[in-house]
């Protein structure tokens, strides 16, 4: 998934905007249309709580083609109380879905990591669903550097 | 002078501002006199990623591309399971013992265990060939074996088979110092030809290798941190390529980026440039298969 | 690469109830379906769409992948090992190909 020059320019502009937004204190996160729809479908309209879940990714990705990303959720992971599903989204990608992870009581720990593609600088989103029907969410901003010879 | 002061960091362009806080320099900040104490290591094997240049070398310090990458990218290389290049190494292992061609031979038939017979081979590449009267990169040596010893079809330069084999053979030299023998045959003539190419401005952007990799390494070109263009990690898994790629692919990439008409992989020009750039990295540990951005 | 090839890292031994870390990797281009070829036509999507880890016939972990997962998909996850047994790792390709790998673990 290599970026075209036009996309790269858009991304560069987006990055600059993100830096400015941070500087003047605009809200860091607002899921874009399609991503919000996916979250609503996943939670059945419930608003996920923050905390319990922690999403990790580099502050700055050297190349958007391969960005390490992981999450961990505080859960006893027993048969009657465990994390069932975690949905990972990249709201500003051409398609926001990244992956859905299914855990069981055998998992022992509700954590996973993978490597993903990011078309531009954005806030990643992870939403977790527990076996008791609770939802937790975390977001993580990642800057994607494009330009020069690495882009 | 400490290395950190010789690596100047200037930041150009909007997005690059965001990079200013990046922890790249931390791994470079070591005392020159006492030597580096926290050398990176893979499977317990230490890698020499920077060294003071010998007299007459165009650079003050010879620094591996490893040092110019973020910790996240470095981490991919420092664990052989995390490093996706090992998918190719495993293919190379299979190919090593698979008989092919009219002679019904595999690499193993003549060379035995790859770990013994290929140790140190990559560190000396490209190597002078008396038969062919030219320096031979590893890819040419492999195809010479395939054609002349095995009676098999040569592999394409950038094929997964070739990359698997060059990665497997290169891995047997990991940690050993790059050491090209310029005294054999006419190696010096090829070195000179490579040197000339290195300093010749080309393409619509009118840039020579040296403009970026000698004059400006350690600085940002827009959002990208320029390295010294060292060759000790090739073939390398590049995040941009999402696969393993050859040194000559990287040469071609640079030429495309300065909008020059690139030479072909395996061409005399690229072989000469490989001889010269390998020499510029003399003493650095072989890192094949490395991971870069 | 011609045929996808998986790699898996699982400890050979563990204590009963120990939480172990499993790492998996498979060679695959993960063609996103959003790129155009040299002829200007879109290159059809071809990705690994599902990855599953089972232990002694029971599901431990599963992932449904989208084209935003990088080429050569990598997963790291955990498992609480109840007993000795066999892991079966399965990757399903859009083209219907299924790649599997088995690993044994012994619990002391």
């Amino acid at each position: 998934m290599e970026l075209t020059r036009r996309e790269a320019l858009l991304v560069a502009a987006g990055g600059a905007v993100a830096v400015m937004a941070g500087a003047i204190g605009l809200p860091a996160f607002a899921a874009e249309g399609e991503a919000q729809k996916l979250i609503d479908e996943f939670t059945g309209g419930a608003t996920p709580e923050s905390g319990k879940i922690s999403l990790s990714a580099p502050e700055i990705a050297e190349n958007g083609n391969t960005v390490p990303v992981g999450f961990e959720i505080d859960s006893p992971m027993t048969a009657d109380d465990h994390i069932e599903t975690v949905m990972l989204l990249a709201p500003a990608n051409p398609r926001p879905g990244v992956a859905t992870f299914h855990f069981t009581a055998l998992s022992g720990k509700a954590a996973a990591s993978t490597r993903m593609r990011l078309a531009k600088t954005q806030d990643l989103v992870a939403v977790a669903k527990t076996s008791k029907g609770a939802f937790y969410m975390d977001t993580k901003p990642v800057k994607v550097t494009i330009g020069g010879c690495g882009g | 002078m400490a290395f950190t002061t010789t690596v100047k960091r200037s930041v150009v362009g909007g997005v690059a501002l965001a990079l200013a806080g990046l922890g790249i320099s931390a791994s470079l900040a070591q005392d020159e006199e006492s030597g580096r104490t926290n050398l990176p290591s893979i499977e317990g094997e230490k890698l020499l990623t920077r060294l003071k240049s010998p007299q007459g070398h165009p650079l003050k310090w010879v620094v591996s591309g490893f040092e110019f990458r973020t910790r996240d990218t470095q981490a991919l290389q420092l664990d052989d399971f995390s490093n996706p290049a090992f998918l190719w190494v495993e293919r190379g292992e299979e190919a090593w013992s698979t008989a092919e061609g009219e002679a019904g031979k595999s690499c193993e038939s003549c060379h035995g265990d790859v770990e013994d017979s290929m140790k140190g081979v990559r560190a000396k590449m490209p190597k002078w060939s008396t038969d062919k009267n030219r320096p031979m990169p590893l890819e040419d040596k492999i195809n010479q074996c395939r054609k002349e010893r095995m009676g098999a079809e040569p592999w394409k330069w950038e094929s997964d088979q070739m990359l698997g084999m060059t990665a497997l053979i290169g891995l047997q030299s990991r940690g050993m110092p790059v050491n090209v023998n310029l005294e054999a045959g006419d190696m010096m003539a090829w070195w000179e030809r490579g040197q000339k190419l290195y300093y010749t401005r080309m393409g619509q952007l009118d840039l020579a290798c040296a403009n970026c990799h000698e004059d400006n390494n350690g600085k940002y070109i827009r959002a990208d941190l320029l390295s010294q263009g060292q060759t000790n990690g090739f073939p390398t898994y590049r995040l941009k390529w999402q696969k393993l790629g050859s040194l000559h692919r990287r040469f071609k990439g640079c030429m495309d980026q300065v909008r020059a008409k690139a030479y072909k992989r395996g061409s005399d020009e690229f072989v000469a440039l490989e001889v010269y750039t390998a020499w510029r990295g003399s003493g650095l540990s072989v890192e094949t298969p490395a991971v870069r951005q | 690469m011609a045929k996808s090839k998986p790699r898996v890292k699982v400890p050979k031994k563990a204590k009963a109830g120990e939480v172990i870390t499993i790492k998996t990797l498979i060679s695959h281009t993960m063609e996103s379906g959003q790129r155009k070829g040299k002829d200007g036509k879109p290159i059809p999507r071809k990705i690994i769409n599902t990855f599953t880890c089972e232990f002694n016939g029971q599901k431990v972990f599963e992932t449904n992948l989208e084209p935003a997962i990088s080429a050569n998909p990598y997963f790291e996850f955990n498992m609480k090992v109840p007993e000795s047994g066999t892991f079966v790792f399965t990757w399903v390709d859009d083209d219907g190909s299924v790649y599997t790998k088995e690993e044994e673990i012994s619990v002391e």
Side-chain angles (χ1 to χ4, degrees), chain A residues 57-107:
Chain A
E59 259 178 69
I60 298 164
E62 275 201 295
N63 190 292
N65 282 339
T66 313
V67 183
V69 56
F71 58 81
E72 188 168 347
I73 305 142
D74 179 15
S75 163
M77 294 305 277
T78 57
D80 58 348
D81 186 7
H82 59 267
I83 298 297
E84 272 183 358
T85 314
V86 176
M87 184 173 67
L88 182 63
L89 300 173
N93 271 6
R95 295 180 56 207
V98 177
T100 311
F101 303 84
H102 305 275
F103 296 91
T104 63
L106 269 180
S107 299

Short mmCIF file of all heavy atoms in Angstrom, two decimals, chain A residues 57-107:
data_model
loop_
_atom_site.label_atom_id
_atom_site.label_comp_id
_atom_site.label_asym_id
_atom_site.label_seq_id
_atom_site.Cartn_x
_atom_site.Cartn_y
_atom_site.Cartn_z
N ALA A 57 1.21 2.37 20.69
CA ALA A 57 1.72 2.51 19.32
C ALA A 57 2.79 3.59 19.38
O ALA A 57 2.82 4.39 20.31
CB ALA A 57 0.59 2.92 18.38
N PRO A 58 3.70 3.63 18.40
CA PRO A 58 4.72 4.68 18.44
C PRO A 58 4.08 6.07 18.27
O PRO A 58 3.08 6.19 17.57
CB PRO A 58 5.63 4.36 17.25
CG PRO A 58 4.85 3.44 16.38
CD PRO A 58 3.84 2.76 17.24
N GLU A 59 4.68 7.07 18.92
CA GLU A 59 4.19 8.43 18.73
C GLU A 59 4.31 8.83 17.27
O GLU A 59 3.47 9.49 16.70
CB GLU A 59 5.06 9.39 19.54
CG GLU A 59 4.45 9.84 20.84
CD GLU A 59 5.43 10.73 21.57
OE1 GLU A 59 5.64 11.85 21.08
OE2 GLU A 59 5.99 10.30 22.60
N ILE A 60 5.45 8.42 16.69
CA ILE A 60 5.74 8.73 15.30
C ILE A 60 6.11 7.44 14.61
O ILE A 60 7.03 6.73 15.04
CB ILE A 60 6.90 9.73 15.19
CG1 ILE A 60 6.52 11.06 15.87
CG2 ILE A 60 7.29 9.97 13.74
CD1 ILE A 60 7.67 11.95 16.16
N ALA A 61 5.40 7.11 13.56
CA ALA A 61 5.71 5.90 12.80
C ALA A 61 6.68 6.25 11.68
O ALA A 61 6.47 7.23 10.97
CB ALA A 61 4.43 5.31 12.22
N GLU A 62 7.77 5.47 11.56
CA GLU A 62 8.75 5.80 10.51
C GLU A 62 8.20 5.55 9.12
O GLU A 62 8.61 6.19 8.17
CB GLU A 62 10.03 4.97 10.70
CG GLU A 62 10.96 5.63 11.67
CD GLU A 62 12.38 5.14 11.51
OE1 GLU A 62 12.64 3.96 11.76
OE2 GLU A 62 13.24 5.96 11.15
N ASN A 63 7.31 4.57 9.01
CA ASN A 63 6.67 4.34 7.73
C ASN A 63 5.26 3.81 7.99
O ASN A 63 5.09 2.89 8.77
CB ASN A 63 7.47 3.35 6.89
CG ASN A 63 6.95 3.28 5.47
OD1 ASN A 63 5.85 2.81 5.23
ND2 ASN A 63 7.70 3.83 4.54
N GLY A 64 4.29 4.42 7.35
CA GLY A 64 2.90 4.05 7.57
C GLY A 64 2.55 2.64 7.12
O GLY A 64 1.49 2.13 7.46
N ASN A 65 3.43 2.00 6.37
CA ASN A 65 3.14 0.65 5.90
C ASN A 65 3.24 -0.41 7.00
O ASN A 65 2.65 -1.47 6.89
CB ASN A 65 4.10 0.24 4.78
CG ASN A 65 3.70 0.86 3.45
OD1 ASN A 65 2.56 1.25 3.27
ND2 ASN A 65 4.64 0.96 2.54
N THR A 66 4.03 -0.14 8.01
CA THR A 66 4.27 -1.13 9.06
C THR A 66 4.38 -0.41 10.40
O THR A 66 5.44 0.05 10.77
CB THR A 66 5.57 -1.93 8.77
OG1 THR A 66 5.57 -2.32 7.40
CG2 THR A 66 5.68 -3.15 9.66
N VAL A 67 3.26 -0.31 11.10
CA VAL A 67 3.25 0.40 12.38
C VAL A 67 2.92 -0.61 13.48
O VAL A 67 1.85 -1.22 13.46
CB VAL A 67 2.19 1.53 12.37
CG1 VAL A 67 2.24 2.29 13.68
CG2 VAL A 67 2.38 2.45 11.19
N PRO A 68 3.83 -0.82 14.42
CA PRO A 68 3.52 -1.74 15.52
C PRO A 68 2.42 -1.17 16.41
O PRO A 68 2.43 0.01 16.74
CB PRO A 68 4.85 -1.86 16.28
CG PRO A 68 5.68 -0.69 15.87
CD PRO A 68 5.17 -0.22 14.53
N VAL A 69 1.47 -2.01 16.77
CA VAL A 69 0.37 -1.56 17.61
C VAL A 69 -0.02 -2.70 18.56
O VAL A 69 0.08 -3.87 18.18
CB VAL A 69 -0.83 -1.09 16.74
CG1 VAL A 69 -1.29 -2.19 15.80
CG2 VAL A 69 -1.99 -0.62 17.59
N GLY A 70 -0.38 -2.36 19.79
CA GLY A 70 -0.77 -3.40 20.73
C GLY A 70 -1.73 -2.84 21.75
O GLY A 70 -1.91 -1.62 21.87
N PHE A 71 -2.41 -3.73 22.49
CA PHE A 71 -3.30 -3.27 23.55
C PHE A 71 -3.29 -4.28 24.68
O PHE A 71 -2.91 -5.44 24.49
CB PHE A 71 -4.73 -3.07 23.02
CG PHE A 71 -5.32 -4.31 22.42
CD1 PHE A 71 -5.88 -5.30 23.22
CD2 PHE A 71 -5.30 -4.50 21.05
CE1 PHE A 71 -6.41 -6.46 22.66
CE2 PHE A 71 -5.82 -5.66 20.48
CZ PHE A 71 -6.37 -6.65 21.29
N GLU A 72 -3.67 -3.80 25.86
CA GLU A 72 -3.79 -4.67 27.01
C GLU A 72 -4.99 -4.20 27.83
O GLU A 72 -5.19 -2.99 27.98
CB GLU A 72 -2.51 -4.63 27.85
CG GLU A 72 -2.53 -5.67 28.94
CD GLU A 72 -1.17 -5.88 29.61
OE1 GLU A 72 -0.15 -5.40 29.10
OE2 GLU A 72 -1.18 -6.53 30.67
N ILE A 73 -5.78 -5.14 28.31
CA ILE A 73 -6.97 -4.78 29.07
C ILE A 73 -6.93 -5.46 30.42
O ILE A 73 -6.57 -6.63 30.53
CB ILE A 73 -8.25 -5.21 28.30
CG1 ILE A 73 -8.23 -4.60 26.89
CG2 ILE A 73 -9.51 -4.76 29.04
CD1 ILE A 73 -8.76 -5.49 25.84
N ASP A 74 -7.25 -4.69 31.43
CA ASP A 74 -7.29 -5.20 32.80
C ASP A 74 -8.55 -6.04 32.96
O ASP A 74 -9.66 -5.51 32.93
CB ASP A 74 -7.27 -3.98 33.74
CG ASP A 74 -7.33 -4.41 35.19
OD1 ASP A 74 -7.10 -5.60 35.46
OD2 ASP A 74 -7.62 -3.56 36.04
N SER A 75 -8.38 -7.35 33.08
CA SER A 75 -9.53 -8.26 33.19
C SER A 75 -9.09 -9.52 33.91
O SER A 75 -7.97 -10.00 33.71
CB SER A 75 -10.04 -8.62 31.79
OG SER A 75 -10.88 -9.77 31.85
N PRO A 76 -9.97 -10.12 34.76
CA PRO A 76 -9.56 -11.36 35.44
C PRO A 76 -9.42 -12.53 34.47
O PRO A 76 -8.76 -13.52 34.78
CB PRO A 76 -10.71 -11.60 36.44
CG PRO A 76 -11.83 -10.75 36.03
CD PRO A 76 -11.29 -9.62 35.21
N MET A 77 -10.03 -12.44 33.29
CA MET A 77 -9.98 -13.49 32.27
C MET A 77 -10.38 -14.87 32.82
O MET A 77 -9.67 -15.87 32.62
CB MET A 77 -8.59 -13.53 31.60
CG MET A 77 -8.25 -12.28 30.79
SD MET A 77 -9.48 -11.83 29.50
CE MET A 77 -8.97 -12.90 28.16
N THR A 78 -11.48 -14.89 33.53
CA THR A 78 -12.05 -16.16 34.01
C THR A 78 -13.21 -16.54 33.09
O THR A 78 -13.62 -15.74 32.24
CB THR A 78 -12.59 -16.01 35.45
OG1 THR A 78 -13.55 -14.95 35.46
CG2 THR A 78 -11.48 -15.69 36.43
N ALA A 79 -13.74 -17.76 33.29
CA ALA A 79 -14.80 -18.24 32.40
C ALA A 79 -16.00 -17.30 32.40
O ALA A 79 -16.63 -17.07 31.37
CB ALA A 79 -15.22 -19.65 32.81
N ASP A 80 -16.35 -16.73 33.59
CA ASP A 80 -17.54 -15.87 33.59
C ASP A 80 -17.23 -14.38 33.55
O ASP A 80 -18.14 -13.56 33.48
CB ASP A 80 -18.47 -16.21 34.78
CG ASP A 80 -17.75 -16.07 36.11
OD1 ASP A 80 -16.51 -15.94 36.08
OD2 ASP A 80 -18.42 -16.08 37.16
N ASP A 81 -15.97 -14.01 33.58
CA ASP A 81 -15.64 -12.59 33.45
C ASP A 81 -14.34 -12.43 32.66
O ASP A 81 -13.24 -12.47 33.21
CB ASP A 81 -15.50 -11.94 34.84
CG ASP A 81 -15.29 -10.43 34.75
OD1 ASP A 81 -15.38 -9.88 33.63
OD2 ASP A 81 -15.04 -9.80 35.80
N HIS A 82 -14.49 -12.26 31.37
CA HIS A 82 -13.30 -12.06 30.53
C HIS A 82 -13.61 -11.12 29.37
O HIS A 82 -14.77 -10.79 29.12
CB HIS A 82 -12.76 -13.40 30.01
CG HIS A 82 -13.73 -14.17 29.19
ND1 HIS A 82 -14.57 -15.12 29.71
CD2 HIS A 82 -14.01 -14.13 27.86
CE1 HIS A 82 -15.32 -15.64 28.74
NE2 HIS A 82 -14.99 -15.05 27.60
N ILE A 83 -12.55 -10.70 28.72
CA ILE A 83 -12.72 -9.88 27.52
C ILE A 83 -13.07 -10.83 26.37
O ILE A 83 -12.38 -11.83 26.16
CB ILE A 83 -11.42 -9.11 27.19
CG1 ILE A 83 -11.04 -8.15 28.33
CG2 ILE A 83 -11.53 -8.37 25.85
CD1 ILE A 83 -12.04 -7.03 28.59
N GLU A 84 -14.14 -10.52 25.68
CA GLU A 84 -14.55 -11.38 24.56
C GLU A 84 -13.97 -10.91 23.24
O GLU A 84 -13.42 -11.69 22.48
CB GLU A 84 -16.08 -11.39 24.43
CG GLU A 84 -16.75 -12.43 25.28
CD GLU A 84 -18.26 -12.47 25.07
OE1 GLU A 84 -18.80 -11.65 24.30
OE2 GLU A 84 -18.89 -13.33 25.71
N THR A 85 -14.13 -9.61 22.98
CA THR A 85 -13.78 -9.08 21.65
C THR A 85 -13.14 -7.70 21.77
O THR A 85 -13.56 -6.91 22.62
CB THR A 85 -15.06 -8.95 20.79
OG1 THR A 85 -15.83 -10.14 20.93
CG2 THR A 85 -14.73 -8.76 19.33
N VAL A 86 -12.17 -7.46 20.93
CA VAL A 86 -11.58 -6.12 20.85
C VAL A 86 -11.58 -5.70 19.39
O VAL A 86 -11.12 -6.45 18.52
CB VAL A 86 -10.15 -6.09 21.41
CG1 VAL A 86 -9.52 -4.71 21.21
CG2 VAL A 86 -10.14 -6.47 22.88
N MET A 87 -12.11 -4.52 19.12
CA MET A 87 -12.13 -3.99 17.77
C MET A 87 -11.11 -2.86 17.66
O MET A 87 -11.12 -1.94 18.46
CB MET A 87 -13.53 -3.47 17.44
CG MET A 87 -13.68 -2.99 16.01
SD MET A 87 -15.40 -2.56 15.61
CE MET A 87 -15.62 -1.14 16.64
N LEU A 88 -10.24 -2.98 16.66
CA LEU A 88 -9.22 -1.96 16.44
C LEU A 88 -9.55 -1.18 15.17
O LEU A 88 -9.82 -1.78 14.13
CB LEU A 88 -7.85 -2.66 16.30
CG LEU A 88 -6.62 -1.78 16.11
CD1 LEU A 88 -6.38 -0.88 17.31
CD2 LEU A 88 -5.39 -2.66 15.86
N LEU A 89 -9.54 0.16 15.29
CA LEU A 89 -9.93 1.01 14.16
C LEU A 89 -8.88 2.08 13.88
O LEU A 89 -8.24 2.59 14.79
CB LEU A 89 -11.25 1.72 14.46
CG LEU A 89 -12.49 0.88 14.74
CD1 LEU A 89 -13.64 1.79 15.19
CD2 LEU A 89 -12.89 0.10 13.50
N ALA A 90 -8.75 2.38 12.60
CA ALA A 90 -7.93 3.53 12.16
C ALA A 90 -8.89 4.46 11.41
O ALA A 90 -9.06 4.32 10.20
CB ALA A 90 -6.80 3.04 11.27
N PRO A 91 -9.53 5.38 12.12
CA PRO A 91 -10.65 6.15 11.55
C PRO A 91 -10.30 6.93 10.29
O PRO A 91 -11.18 7.16 9.46
CB PRO A 91 -11.05 7.10 12.68
CG PRO A 91 -10.56 6.44 13.92
CD PRO A 91 -9.31 5.71 13.53
N ALA A 92 -9.04 7.34 10.12
CA ALA A 92 -8.71 8.16 8.96
C ALA A 92 -8.10 7.35 7.81
O ALA A 92 -7.63 7.91 6.84
CB ALA A 92 -7.77 9.30 9.38
N ASN A 93 -8.11 6.02 7.94
CA ASN A 93 -7.70 5.19 6.80
C ASN A 93 -8.84 5.18 5.77
O ASN A 93 -9.99 5.48 6.13
CB ASN A 93 -7.43 3.75 7.27
CG ASN A 93 -5.99 3.55 7.70
OD1 ASN A 93 -5.21 4.50 7.76
ND2 ASN A 93 -5.64 2.32 8.00
N PRO A 94 -8.53 4.79 4.51
CA PRO A 94 -9.61 4.72 3.52
C PRO A 94 -10.77 3.85 4.01
O PRO A 94 -11.93 4.15 3.78
CB PRO A 94 -8.94 4.07 2.31
CG PRO A 94 -7.48 4.35 2.47
CD PRO A 94 -7.23 4.44 3.94
N ARG A 95 -10.44 2.75 4.72
CA ARG A 95 -11.46 1.97 5.43
C ARG A 95 -11.00 1.83 6.87
O ARG A 95 -9.87 1.43 7.12
CB ARG A 95 -11.63 0.61 4.78
CG ARG A 95 -12.18 0.73 3.33
CD ARG A 95 -12.34 -0.63 2.70
NE ARG A 95 -13.17 -1.49 3.51
CZ ARG A 95 -13.07 -2.82 3.49
NH1 ARG A 95 -12.18 -3.40 2.73
NH2 ARG A 95 -13.87 -3.55 4.24
N PRO A 96 -11.85 2.20 7.82
CA PRO A 96 -11.39 2.30 9.21
C PRO A 96 -11.09 0.97 9.91
O PRO A 96 -10.33 0.94 10.86
CB PRO A 96 -12.52 3.05 9.91
CG PRO A 96 -13.70 2.93 9.03
CD PRO A 96 -13.21 2.74 7.64
N GLY A 97 -11.71 -0.11 9.46
CA GLY A 97 -11.50 -1.40 10.16
C GLY A 97 -10.06 -1.86 10.04
O GLY A 97 -9.45 -1.74 8.98
N VAL A 98 -9.47 -2.34 11.13
CA VAL A 98 -8.12 -2.89 11.10
C VAL A 98 -8.16 -4.38 11.41
O VAL A 98 -7.68 -5.20 10.63
CB VAL A 98 -7.20 -2.16 12.10
CG1 VAL A 98 -5.80 -2.79 12.10
CG2 VAL A 98 -7.12 -0.68 11.78
N ALA A 99 -8.75 -4.73 12.55
CA ALA A 99 -8.86 -6.13 12.93
C ALA A 99 -9.79 -6.25 14.13
O ALA A 99 -9.98 -5.29 14.89
CB ALA A 99 -7.49 -6.71 13.29
N THR A 100 -10.38 -7.45 14.28
CA THR A 100 -11.18 -7.76 15.46
C THR A 100 -10.56 -8.97 16.12
O THR A 100 -10.27 -9.97 15.46
CB THR A 100 -12.64 -8.04 15.07
OG1 THR A 100 -13.08 -6.98 14.22
CG2 THR A 100 -13.53 -8.11 16.29
N PHE A 101 -10.31 -8.86 17.41
CA PHE A 101 -9.63 -9.91 18.16
C PHE A 101 -10.64 -10.59 19.10
O PHE A 101 -11.38 -9.91 19.80
CB PHE A 101 -8.49 -9.33 19.01
CG PHE A 101 -7.47 -8.57 18.20
CD1 PHE A 101 -7.69 -7.23 17.86
CD2 PHE A 101 -6.29 -9.17 17.78
CE1 PHE A 101 -6.75 -6.52 17.11
CE2 PHE A 101 -5.35 -8.47 17.04
CZ PHE A 101 -5.57 -7.15 16.71
N HIS A 102 -10.63 -11.92 19.09
CA HIS A 102 -11.54 -12.67 19.98
C HIS A 102 -10.71 -13.42 21.01
O HIS A 102 -9.80 -14.17 20.65
CB HIS A 102 -12.36 -13.66 19.16
CG HIS A 102 -13.12 -13.02 18.05
ND1 HIS A 102 -14.36 -12.45 18.22
CD2 HIS A 102 -12.80 -12.82 16.74
CE1 HIS A 102 -14.77 -11.95 17.07
NE2 HIS A 102 -13.84 -12.15 16.15
N PHE A 103 -11.05 -13.20 22.27
CA PHE A 103 -10.34 -13.88 23.36
C PHE A 103 -11.26 -14.89 24.04
O PHE A 103 -12.47 -14.85 23.88
CB PHE A 103 -9.87 -12.85 24.40
CG PHE A 103 -8.86 -11.89 23.86
CD1 PHE A 103 -9.26 -10.68 23.29
CD2 PHE A 103 -7.50 -12.18 23.92
CE1 PHE A 103 -8.32 -9.79 22.78
CE2 PHE A 103 -6.57 -11.30 23.42
CZ PHE A 103 -6.98 -10.10 22.84
N THR A 104 -10.65 -15.80 24.80
CA THR A 104 -11.40 -16.77 25.59
C THR A 104 -10.79 -16.80 26.99
O THR A 104 -9.73 -16.19 27.22
CB THR A 104 -11.29 -18.18 24.97
OG1 THR A 104 -9.90 -18.57 25.04
CG2 THR A 104 -11.75 -18.19 23.52
N ALA A 105 -11.42 -17.55 27.88
CA ALA A 105 -10.85 -17.67 29.22
C ALA A 105 -9.47 -18.33 29.16
O ALA A 105 -8.61 -18.10 30.00
CB ALA A 105 -11.78 -18.48 30.12
N LEU A 106 -9.23 -19.13 28.11
CA LEU A 106 -7.92 -19.77 27.93
C LEU A 106 -6.82 -18.76 27.60
O LEU A 106 -5.64 -19.06 27.71
CB LEU A 106 -7.98 -20.79 26.78
CG LEU A 106 -8.32 -22.24 27.07
CD1 LEU A 106 -8.31 -23.03 25.76
CD2 LEU A 106 -7.33 -22.85 28.05
N SER A 107 -7.22 -17.57 27.15
CA SER A 107 -6.23 -16.56 26.76
C SER A 107 -5.34 -16.15 27.93
O SER A 107 -4.20 -15.74 27.74
CB SER A 107 -6.91 -15.33 26.17
OG SER A 107 -7.65 -15.67 25.02
#
